[in-house]
Amino acid sequence: MGSFQFYKPKGVEDLLKMKAELGERGLILAGGSNLLVYIRNGIINEGTFLDVKNLKPLKGIDTSNGKITIGAGETIREILESAKLREKIPFFPDSMKEFANPLIRSKATIGGNAADASPAADTAPPLLVLDTETVIGSHRGERVIPIKEFFKGPKKTALKPDEVLLRFQFSVPEAGKGVFLKFGLRNGTAVSVTSLAAWLALDGGKAVDIRIALGGVAPTPVRAINAESALKGQKLNEESILTLSEEVEKDLRPISDVRGSTEYRKDLTVELLRRALRKLSGTEAAL
Amino acid sequence: MSERKLYDISLTVNDREVKGRVKAETTLLDFLRSNNFTEVKKGCEIGDCGACTVIMDGEAVLSCITLALQAEGSKVYTVKSLGTWEKLHPLQKAFVEHEALQCGFCTPGMLMTAKAFLDKNPHPTRDEIREAISGNLCRCTGYKKIVDAIEAVSKREAE
């Protein structure tokens, strides 16, 4: 193992100053459920831990003014248990139920999960579906970019070496509801083979607002724009759901890996979309 | 930057003050074991198995993915804080009565997860118990007897 240092920033300014000095050697440490595994596995072997676990400015959930702001340092468990979030948009805390297990949920943060940029990150599809903006800080100031521009590739984000992910913000859609479905090879702790978040608002049975995001089927988590445009304005019933869901195949660039082949991932995603649409359109009971 | 810097650390483990000097990357798990708290088990070391679970400031925590320095000033409890041979903790007793272990390697972590869980949710459903221990892997018994044991304690406390 190489050489590591440890530092606990006293505030955001201090954190950004350290990150500016250290660049990629500045290792943001919150829950440690990714970073300490990379160190244990020898993927990272030097640097300075910047311990932000209890750094107040990275915490907090604000739901005033119709806008939701979530600090990057909020743990998955804090989001899952947030009464404020549940009141405004139950879809979002509900989507965290599928995240690993309670021991990991009390450590892992939403910022860490996003910044790790796994193609199968479980917070990514719900964040994408809500058109979330990420607020990024550095000693140069803050900038805001849409979450879909934040993910650049497997384990690659838009973060520059001197930047830190500070918080997420999104507006609650005017109408509709959402669902997050995850398919792992077992319950508990499993990495998603494929995951899907969908938001649907119906008007007279027609899909007026339809948003779909996918995890584990492309180099980054992605919005399923082909499926979205095929479904937009359509009346949703069992027949249209069966046929139109196949459009989602055009949105996939799935990999074959230890958890599943390309074909398997395609079939799974189509099926997950059907299930999501049935659930959200209320046609599920008819089956 | 290449000199090996050591950091002072002080915390309490099972209500006993423990001080030491650690490397930045020393995990809480390694720190505890090197201070003879070997009841904290070293399993996967990557946060997957739960064998190293301790209670830190009231929460069940995976000590293998926590830096020792992140526990500075904390109150840490290991399975040895629960009970003694003469006076077992209700959870320990229930694990024996329900034969909720075979090799016993997962048990120290399992018990600490169960303890932190019942402290917060004294009367859970079976499903809630299963969910609560889903980060603690047991490769011997299956989980039925473990859930039985935890459930028995929650029911006993309800009486």
Side-chain angles (χ1 to χ4, degrees):
Chain A
M1 221 179 264
S3 171
F4 289 94
Q5 281 84 36
F6 181 90
Y7 183 72
K8 202 166 182 164
K10 289 158 192 69
V12 168
E13 228 173 280
D14 193 23
L15 167 67
L16 298 177
K17 185 178 139 257
M18 289 304 286
K19 194 70 175 123
E21 254 170 53
L22 295 163
E24 271 161 13
R25 286 182 46 93
L27 310 170
I28 309 287
L29 173 66
S33 55
N34 287 322
L35 180 59
L36 297 185
V37 173
Y38 296 146
I39 288 169
R40 160 84 193 137
N41 291 341
I43 295 164
I44 296 174
N45 46 41
E46 59 168 2
T48 297
F49 295 110
L50 300 173
D51 180 15
V52 298
K53 186 172 178 287
N54 294 313
L55 194 66
K56 272 266 168 62
L58 296 189
K59 306 288 280 187
I61 294 173
D62 184 63
T63 61
S64 49
N65 306 325
K67 204 156 192 143
I68 310 280
T69 305
I70 301 175
E74 285 290 304
T75 65
I76 303 303
R77 176 173 150 193
E78 285 163 340
I79 293 168
L80 180 58
E81 292 177 354
S82 164
K84 276 196 276 185
L85 273 178
R86 186 158 299 282
E87 189 203 325
K88 298 280 182 189
I89 182 157
F91 155 68
F92 198 71
D94 279 346
S95 66
M96 302 294 152
K97 281 182 190 162
E98 304 284 337
F99 193 104
N101 63 61
L103 291 174
I104 297 291
R105 286 201 291 268
S106 66
K107 284 199 137 276
T109 60
I110 184 165
N113 188 246
D116 185 52
S118 161
D122 278 341
T123 62
L127 287 170
L128 277 162
V129 141
L130 292 167
D131 289 324
T132 304
E133 293 175 326
T134 58
V135 182
I136 292 168
S138 75
H139 66 292
R140 289 167 282 129
E142 286 188 2
R143 65 184 178 117
V144 179
I145 62 167
I147 187 87
K148 65 174 197 272
E149 288 167 29
F150 180 80
F151 299 116
K152 294 290 186 200
K155 307 278 165 190
K156 285 199 179 70
T157 69
L159 289 171
K160 301 199 171 80
D162 63 354
E163 287 182 325
V164 178
L165 181 52
L166 299 179
R167 59 189 179 273
F168 301 87
Q169 53 193 37
F170 58 83
S171 303
V172 178
E174 275 170 30
K177 51 188 175 173
V179 68
F180 177 64
L181 300 175
K182 163 175 172 171
F183 189 88
L185 293 183
R186 58 181 187 280
N187 292 330
T189 322
V191 175
S192 296
V193 178
T194 295
S195 60
L196 180 146
W199 185 273
L200 174 69
L202 289 171
D203 189 7
K206 283 185 182 164
V208 287
D209 186 4
I210 172 78
R211 313 179 196 178
I212 300 157
L214 310 169
V217 292
T220 65
V222 289
R223 280 286 284 267
I225 45 176
N226 288 293
E228 286 179 3
S229 66
L231 284 155
K232 181 133 196 183
Q234 299 294 321
K235 226 178 170 80
L236 292 190
N237 51 43
E238 181 55 20
E239 205 186 319
S240 64
I241 288 172
L242 268 180
T243 53
L244 293 174
S245 291
E246 290 185 357
E247 291 294 310
V248 79
E249 288 200 6
K250 293 180 192 157
D251 294 300
L252 309 181
R253 282 183 290 150
I255 53 164
S256 269
D257 73 0
V258 64
R259 286 177 284 274
S261 68
T262 299
E263 279 306 307
Y264 183 55
R265 283 194 156 85
K266 274 191 184 174
D267 290 349
L268 266 179
T269 309
V270 172
E271 179 55 27
L272 283 184
L273 180 54
R274 285 175 181 154
R275 287 182 193 179
L277 293 173
R278 283 174 191 139
K279 215 178 180 106
L280 293 174
S281 65
T283 60
E284 192 178 40
L287 288 174
Chain B
M1 287 298 260
S2 63
E3 88 278 19
R4 185 50 63 90
K5 190 171 174 196
L6 292 175
Y7 298 79
D8 289 320
I9 178 176
S10 164
L11 61 154
T12 73
V13 184
N14 300 341
D15 297 322
R16 200 186 96 201
E17 190 173 32
V18 180
K19 289 176 182 246
R21 283 173 73 72
V22 296
K23 289 185 278 189
E25 70 270 28
T26 301
T27 62
L28 178 59
L29 170 62
D30 283 338
F31 177 76
L32 290 170
R33 289 183 60 86
S34 66
N35 281 280
N36 292 323
F37 297 100
T38 48
E39 68 272 26
V40 185
K41 295 301 168 202
K42 194 173 202 170
C44 70
E45 294 183 73
I46 53 170
D48 276 346
C49 81
C52 68
T53 306
V54 296
I55 294 180
M56 181 169 131
D57 300 329
E59 304 284 352
V61 164
L62 294 164
S63 62
C64 74
I65 51 170
T66 303
L67 289 184
L69 289 167
Q70 289 185 296
E72 166 70 30
S74 292
K75 287 183 189 305
V76 172
Y77 292 95
T78 75
V79 72
K80 280 200 178 167
S81 69
L82 288 184
T84 60
W85 272 116
E86 293 73 32
K87 194 171 183 303
L88 292 176
H89 184 276
L91 274 166
Q92 292 171 312
K93 227 171 146 183
F95 268 56
V96 174
E97 282 165 7
H98 289 266
E99 300 175 343
L101 62 150
Q102 279 183 29
C103 85
F105 195 84
C106 72
T107 313
M110 196 69 84
L111 283 167
M112 296 318 273
T113 295
K115 164 84 165 59
F117 171 64
L118 288 183
D119 284 349
K120 287 223 161 65
N121 183 358
H123 309 302
T125 64
R126 273 186 84 83
D127 278 350
E128 285 171 338
I129 296 171
R130 290 185 66 90
E131 170 70 15
I133 61 164
S134 62
N136 293 83
L137 304 186
C138 166
R139 302 284 83 163
C140 299
T141 74
Y143 298 96
K144 184 181 176 296
K145 291 174 173 196
I146 295 170
V147 176
D148 287 347
I150 298 170
E151 188 182 36
V153 173
S154 72
K155 293 223 163 113
R156 210 167 299 162
E157 284 179 354
E159 281 159 17

